[in-house]
Amino acid sequence: MKEKIKTLTSEIQSEKIENIADLEVFRIKYLGTKGAIKSLFSDLKNVANEEKKEIGQMMNELRLTAENTYNAFKNNLSEDKSAAEKIDFSRPGEDFTIGSHHPISLVRSEIIEIFNRIGFNVSEGPEIEDDWHNFSALNFPPEHPARDMQDTFFIEKGENEMALRTHTSSVQVRVMENDKPPIRTISPGRVYRNEAISARAHCFFHQVEGLYIDKNVSFADLKQTLLYFAQEMFGEKAQIRLRPSYFPFTEPSAEVDVSCSICNAKGCNVCKYTGWLEILGCGMVDPSVLDASGIDSKVYSGFAFGMGVERITQLKYKVNDLRMYSENDIRFLKQFTSVL
Ligand code: DAH
């Protein structure tokens, strides 16, 4: 009996407990109702009377050893020392990915900021537009061939004709209907055209429209405003040139080229060796457009312009395929890390 107690004691003292599962095995083995110590106690009745006291005492000590061992391990584990000791504070931190702004957002914000500095506010209009704001008020009569210039996504044909706007010029009309001159506003937004998707055309893209209406606004004001914009956007060496053009809502109208910032106007494949890149359309607001929107064309004059954000982005970041803007390829998007 004494031998049994001694071997059990040393067995308990040499037990290794490393986790909760080990601890439970230990408890069942020694302290459980069917454990080794319980069965030893039930053997006590077979011990000779004169030895009972001594052996009883030894067994109590054994039980105490088992309980203390159990509690000591339990405390250790619950403090989770073993886990805490495993943390290596000298390890370098783990990398985590931060999103970046979309290039179209970056350039759109930059355009807004440039015009904010010279007093233009921002206005917006709906992407689903009626015929009046997208066409009629802008001087496109019903059968005007200019309506064919823009392949339109119609939502409803007929009397309540609704379409996805084909340009942000529709916002000009809304602003003129609601505000009184002086008006100095830019209207960024998404526009839609029914085009086959390719590297050079997409069925949706982004424009920024500009409108300035006051007394005595002249073509010289328009030209100077656009030169200021080009130099802020592409650098102080940037030059612009205006080519006569036609839009139904401006008279006279022009298209504007900026000197190629990629080759410093020396000629490269982006500017097709001309040194110039087309960036926007513009003109003096046609008096009939002013009148249609409730502004007296005998008192006020104004200029307007419209530019494609994808186009400006292409020139700034040398993106040569329009489809990349909407494909959500992380390898493309994460190159544009500047902070707004
Ligand atoms: N709306 C024209 C387009 O989508 C761009 C444009 C040209 C806007 C001349 C204007 C402008 O405001 O004056 O191509």
Side-chain angles (χ1 to χ4, degrees):
M1 198 71 181
K2 286 183 187 169
E3 272 313 301
K4 258 191 174 174
I5 295 173
K6 276 185 192 146
T7 37
L8 258 181
T9 308
S10 60
E11 206 181 289
I12 287 171
Q13 284 165 344
S14 63
E15 283 281 358
K16 286 201 166 54
I17 294 177
E18 280 169 357
N19 52 44
I20 301 284
D22 289 350
L23 188 67
E24 186 60 6
V25 170
F26 179 94
R27 190 188 64 78
I28 293 166
K29 189 169 164 191
Y30 300 106
L31 297 166
T33 42
K34 288 177 186 153
I37 294 173
K38 263 270 155 53
S39 74
L40 218 58
F41 267 96
S42 55
D43 285 348
L44 195 60
K45 59 182 181 297
N46 304 325
V47 172
N49 271 346
E50 58 273 20
E51 279 187 328
K52 262 199 178 121
K53 194 177 169 200
E54 190 194 355
I55 290 186
Q57 245 169 19
M58 283 175 75
M59 281 179 19
N60 278 338
E61 273 164 30
L62 170 68
R63 187 167 59 192
L64 212 63
T65 308
E67 282 172 359
N68 286 345
T69 308
Y70 176 82
N71 286 333
F73 277 120
K74 192 177 167 183
N75 284 343
N76 249 350
L77 284 177
S78 65
E79 280 173 26
D80 216 4
K81 276 207 180 120
S82 52
E85 278 159 10
K86 278 184 199 142
I87 295 176
D88 176 0
F89 289 102
S90 65
R91 271 183 56 183
E94 274 182 29
D95 222 8
F96 57 94
T97 342
I98 307 174
S100 55
H101 289 283
H102 193 281
I104 296 294
S105 298
L106 288 174
V107 171
R108 177 180 170 276
S109 303
E110 198 174 340
I111 297 170
I112 291 174
E113 221 172 79
I114 290 171
F115 283 103
N116 273 346
R117 290 203 282 273
I118 52 170
F120 282 70
N121 65 13
V122 173
S123 49
E124 284 180 341
E127 290 182 17
I128 297 176
E129 194 51 283
D130 53 34
D131 175 273
W132 171 254
H133 292 94
N134 198 73
F135 292 124
S136 297
L138 289 164
N139 223 12
F140 294 76
E143 299 311 323
H144 196 290
R147 282 180 191 246
D148 295 335
M149 276 163 53
Q150 307 178 350
D151 279 348
T152 305
F153 285 117
F154 285 98
I155 289 170
E156 223 176 294
K157 275 289 224 178
E159 227 168 85
N160 294 322
E161 202 152 283
M162 296 295 278
L164 296 179
R165 68 178 174 199
T166 59
H167 53 184
T168 44
S169 302
S170 54
V171 188
Q172 277 188 35
V173 180
R174 291 186 173 273
V175 173
M176 287 190 280
E177 284 172 343
N178 293 320
D179 295 353
K180 292 206 171 356
I183 292 170
R184 239 175 299 162
T185 192
I186 50 166
S187 319
R190 187 175 276 190
V191 301
Y192 302 84
R193 288 183 200 178
N194 193 0
E195 305 244 20
I197 296 169
S198 71
R200 300 171 60 96
H202 212 297
C203 59
F204 71 86
F205 54 98
H206 301 79
Q207 289 187 331
V208 175
E209 190 79 10
L211 180 69
Y212 182 17
I213 295 177
D214 205 345
K215 289 174 182 156
N216 302 319
V217 176
S218 72
F219 202 91
D221 297 324
L222 169 61
K223 197 176 166 188
Q224 201 56 35
T225 303
L226 295 177
L227 179 62
Y228 158 79
F229 166 73
Q231 294 183 337
E232 291 293 301
M233 185 52 110
F234 298 107
E236 57 187 18
K237 291 205 186 90
Q239 289 299 316
I240 58 167
R241 75 173 181 190
L242 281 73
R243 286 178 286 106
S245 186
Y246 172 76
F247 300 101
F249 37 90
T250 43
E251 181 59 37
S253 306
E255 275 169 324
V256 176
D257 299 338
V258 65
S259 51
C260 183
S261 55
I262 293 168
C263 62
N264 280 327
K266 288 190 183 75
C268 65
N269 60 353
V270 178
C271 63
K272 304 214 176 70
Y273 302 94
T274 62
W276 296 98
L277 295 155
E278 187 192 324
I279 56 162
L280 56 83
C282 65
M284 300 306 291
V285 182
D286 193 302
S288 57
V289 172
L290 293 174
D291 291 331
S293 309
I295 289 178
D296 188 346
S297 60
K298 287 187 199 74
V299 182
Y300 295 104
S301 57
F303 65 71
F305 57 86
M307 65 182 92
V309 183
E310 277 80 353
R311 177 87 179 133
I312 309 274
T313 310
Q314 176 191 14
L315 302 181
K316 232 181 134 76
Y317 292 114
K318 307 184 179 78
V319 179
N320 55 11
D321 189 331
L322 272 178
R323 291 168 292 195
M324 290 175 118
Y325 294 124
S326 50
E327 277 171 354
N328 290 335
D329 185 333
I330 296 288
R331 292 166 303 178
F332 170 71
L333 293 173
K334 74 177 176 193
Q335 299 173 63
F336 306 93
T337 47
S338 31
V339 178
L340 286 180

